[in-house]
Amino acid sequence: MYRPRVIPCLLLENEELIKTQQFSDPVYIGDAMNAVKIFNDAEADEIVFLDINATVNSSPFNFDLISRIADEAYMPVAVGGGINSLEKVREAFKAGAEKVIINSAFHSNPGLISEAAEVFGSQAIVVSIDVKKVGSDYLVYCNRGQEEVQRTLSECLKLAEVKGAGEIMLNHIDSDGMQNGYDEKLISFVSSRLSIPLIMCGGAEDYEDLRIAVDSGASAAAAGSLFVFMGGRNSIMINYPDREEMTEIFGKDE
């Protein structure tokens, strides 16, 4: 049995690490380079950095910071935020990223996924999809959750696959930073419609939730608050399950 990936998902605002709740109210949590060093020591499977202002403010992605992060990181680095052209995809890989995450640009220009996958390979291209639950439906949003997408979730998933995405990263806006558990129904709904891996993000309260995400159909479990806060008062303390804890969560590798 191959153990599912466990992925810290960290948000960048300028060069600072921040954490949000439901994509709002950012709180400063520390230095990006220091976090990378700690996750190196913890032997994290992979790490995601998302520049939360790059798309909304049309600001340039901080490729210099990504280059410094990639030089320091022992694990694969995936980056996203404001990457809306093949040139920016190329710059991200040149800076040392191993995967590029595309969100808003996927909705406005799905052809970018095809172009990027053809040049760099599907395995390096991740489509990120943000959803909110409205009534009994899950609606898709972009631009940091501010703009509703005029496609259904199922249509977005199919389009991403057809265009050549190697993975889907699903962000549950309602659960972001709330530490109220993953939405198992949402994970099951999405994974049943995909033939490519699903990374689930949003809501993890404890390490047990990582197993729940995988049992519900995710290929990998990502989280922010879980890996940067500790205790009932959410003291800032970067953490990650060690090998023994991974075995307790997922069982022994075979």
Side-chain angles (χ1 to χ4, degrees), residues 29-221:
I29 59 170
D31 175 73
M33 297 304 298
N34 183 57
V36 170
K37 292 174 183 177
I38 296 173
F39 284 119
N40 275 343
D41 292 341
E43 300 183 344
D45 298 328
E46 189 173 322
I47 194 165
V48 167
F49 283 95
L50 301 176
D51 186 328
I52 67 168
N53 285 334
T55 297
V56 174
N57 297 337
S58 299
S59 57
F61 194 89
N62 193 335
F63 292 111
D64 176 66
L65 176 60
I66 293 306
S67 180
R68 285 183 276 133
I69 286 171
D71 284 345
E72 183 70 36
Y74 298 157
M75 76 290 286
V77 176
V79 302
I83 298 179
N84 56 11
S85 68
L86 192 61
E87 181 56 35
K88 287 186 179 180
V89 173
R90 184 175 286 109
E91 285 187 59
F93 288 124
K94 187 177 179 181
E98 295 200 20
K99 294 180 183 178
V100 165
I101 300 170
I102 300 174
N103 188 312
S104 293
F106 160 66
H107 300 295
S108 61
N109 178 23
L112 175 60
I113 308 304
S114 301
E115 293 177 45
E118 183 175 347
V119 175
F120 301 103
S122 289
Q123 80 289 339
I125 308 301
V126 181
V127 167
S128 176
I129 297 177
D130 303 333
V131 300
K132 290 181 185 178
K133 190 171 185 180
V134 180
S136 60
D137 294 327
Y138 292 99
L139 303 184
V140 180
Y141 287 77
C142 63
N143 292 329
R144 201 171 163 185
Q146 297 178 11
E147 179 183 341
E148 185 180 342
V149 172
Q150 298 307 305
R151 290 190 187 95
T152 67
L153 176 53
S154 292
E155 288 170 342
C156 288
L157 297 170
K158 182 177 181 180
L159 183 62
E161 280 206 77
V162 167
K163 292 298 182 181
E167 292 183 293
I168 298 294
M169 182 172 178
L170 187 68
N171 305 290
H172 190 194
I173 298 173
D174 304 311
S175 296
D176 171 58
M178 304 306 291
Q179 295 181 274
N180 54 2
Y182 293 111
D183 185 329
E184 299 169 56
K185 180 180 177 182
L186 173 61
I187 298 171
S188 178
F189 176 89
V190 171
S191 63
S192 68
R193 286 159 175 78
L194 289 175
S195 59
I196 57 176
L198 168 65
I199 304 169
M200 183 63 202
C201 190
E205 179 182 12
D206 53 34
Y207 290 165
E208 175 65 13
D209 281 331
L210 304 175
R211 181 192 60 76
I212 291 171
V214 171
D215 286 350
S216 299
S219 302

